[in-house]
Amino acid sequence: MLNPWRLSLLSRLDTLGTVRAVAKAANLSASSVSQQLAVLEAETRTQLLERTGRRVRLTPAGLMLARRARAILDHMDTVEAELRGLGEAPAGLVRLGAFQSAIHTIAVPAVTRLARSHPQLDIELLELEPHVSMPALRVGDADVIVTTTDFVEQPLGPDIDLVPLATDPIVLVVPPGHPAAGRGPADLAAYASEPWAFDIPQSYMANLATRLCREAGFEPRVVARFSNYMMTLQHVEAGLAIALLPGLAVDKRYRVATRELATPVNRSITAAIRRGSAPRAAVDLVLEAIRSHPELPL
C-alpha cells in the first residue's frame, strides 16, 4: 500500500528539485528524506530515483508517480473533508497563502467574513511571497494562493488554474515633507542620490525595485532592508529613506506620500488553485470570498 507521507516527499522532490530543498520544506534532515524515498522504492518495487553525481533525479517511473501523487493526496483531502462535513455545509481545512500586502487587504477580510458565515470551516492563513507560493501550491502546502505572475519567473502550466483578482500599481513612497510629495508622476532617475529602503535580498519587491532603479540609470543606495512593509513605511515616515512599494502595501495609518511612476508599472493580483485536484466545496468557498472582496483595485 502506498504511504501518503512518502508520496508527499516524492511530489515535493518533483517540484523543488533537490533532496535538500525537500528536507528544508518538510523540517527533516536530508538523510531522513533519502531514507523515506528508499522505502517508497522498496514498497513499489520500482526504481524511482537515479543518481547524477551528488544529486538525484526522478526516473520516468518516479516522475509518473510524483505527478500522480499530488492527485492522490488531493483526493484523500477531499474524502476527509466530505466525511467531516457529511450532510452539512462545506467544512474542513483550507490553507490560504497570500503575499504580505495582500494579507491585511484581501485575505484577512475574506477569512473574517467566512468565520461569521461558515464557522465550521477551518482556514489556515499563510504568508507566502510570490516566489514561494506557487511551489507551495504545487506540492500541496497551500490549497489557494493569492499571488502575482508579474515580474516573477514562475513556470505556469496546465496544472494551475489562475483567477484574475485586481491590478495594483507600484508607487514611489516618500515622507510627507519631501520635495517630491504632492507632484505629478515620478521619474525615478531624479531620485538616484536618495537613500532607499528595500525589501530583503532576492524577495519579489527587492528584485523589482532594483530592476526599476537600474533601468532608470542608477544603482540605488540602500540604507535599510526590511521583511515587513509596515517597518518600511515607518522608516519612510521618519524621513530616513524613500521606497518603491505596491499600492496595496501603503497602509493609511502612516504619514507618507505616494506618487505614481512616470512609466507606470502594475502587477496583476491573481488567485490560483491546482487544476488536477478533486473539487472541494470548501476551497471553492474560500476562492469566492477572495473574488468578492468589495475594495479590490480593479
Side-chain angles (χ1 to χ4, degrees):
M1 183 177 295
L2 295 174
N3 182 287
W5 170 241
R6 296 183 188 114
L7 287 177
S8 175
L9 294 178
L10 189 70
S11 176
R12 287 172 185 259
L13 181 59
D14 178 35
T15 300
L16 302 178
T18 67
V19 169
R20 180 173 295 182
V22 173
K24 182 178 179 181
N27 292 316
L28 296 171
S29 66
S31 61
S32 295
V33 172
S34 295
Q35 290 170 4
Q36 292 299 314
L37 292 176
V39 172
L40 183 60
E41 283 189 311
E43 290 175 337
T44 59
R45 300 178 183 179
T46 305
Q47 183 183 358
L48 304 175
L49 308 172
E50 59 185 4
R51 287 199 168 275
T52 56
R54 294 185 176 181
R55 302 183 64 176
V56 297
R57 66 182 181 185
L58 296 173
T59 64
L63 188 61
M64 181 277 291
L65 183 57
R67 302 286 168 85
R68 295 288 184 89
R70 187 65 264 153
I72 293 170
L73 296 170
D74 282 339
H75 188 67
M76 292 178 67
D77 288 342
T78 301
V79 172
E80 182 179 353
E82 288 176 351
L83 287 173
R84 290 180 59 186
L86 194 61
E88 301 176 358
L93 174 65
V94 178
R95 292 154 296 189
L96 169 60
F99 53 83
Q100 187 183 149
S101 58
I103 289 284
H104 71 280
T105 55
I106 298 175
V108 169
V111 172
T112 300
R113 293 195 302 274
L114 288 172
R116 291 194 296 262
S117 61
H118 294 80
Q120 73 282 4
L121 192 63
D122 297 324
I123 303 177
E124 181 180 346
L125 189 55
L126 310 166
E127 182 182 336
L128 299 173
E129 290 304 304
H131 65 287
V132 296
S133 61
M134 195 64 73
L137 179 67
R138 281 195 162 103
V139 301
D141 287 343
D143 301 301
V144 185
I145 60 172
V146 178
T147 187
T148 176
T149 54
D150 299 328
F151 324 120
V152 180
E153 294 181 0
Q154 287 293 338
L156 297 175
D159 59 327
I160 300 296
D161 269 334
L162 299 178
V163 180
L165 295 178
T167 299
D168 190 27
I170 304 301
V171 297
L172 179 69
V173 186
V174 300
H178 193 280
R183 298 183 181 179
D187 181 355
L188 287 183
Y191 303 91
S193 61
E194 293 277 356
W196 289 84
F198 269 30
D199 208 328
I200 58 176
Q202 300 307 312
S203 64
Y204 157 74
M205 271 309 302
N207 291 341
L208 174 59
T210 299
R211 179 172 68 81
L212 292 178
C213 289
R214 288 174 178 172
E215 288 177 354
F218 67 95
E219 191 69 24
R221 180 165 62 91
V222 180
V223 299
R225 287 188 181 273
F226 302 109
S227 61
N228 186 294
Y229 290 150
M230 302 301 106
M231 295 177 67
T232 301
L233 290 168
Q234 187 177 28
H235 205 67
V236 172
E237 183 182 48
L240 299 174
I242 65 175
L244 284 168
L245 290 178
L248 280 179
V250 183
D251 193 310
K252 295 180 181 179
R253 292 175 296 179
Y254 293 88
R255 294 182 60 253
V256 296
T258 61
R259 291 181 58 192
E260 297 179 355
L261 302 183
T263 302
V265 178
N266 297 294
R267 62 174 182 172
S268 299
I269 300 174
T270 305
I273 59 175
R274 292 186 303 278
R275 178 173 296 175
S277 60
R280 286 182 58 192
V283 170
D284 291 342
L285 198 62
V286 172
L287 185 59
E288 183 56 34
I290 295 170
R291 295 179 63 184
S292 61
H293 194 295
E295 298 180 3
L296 285 179
L298 300 177

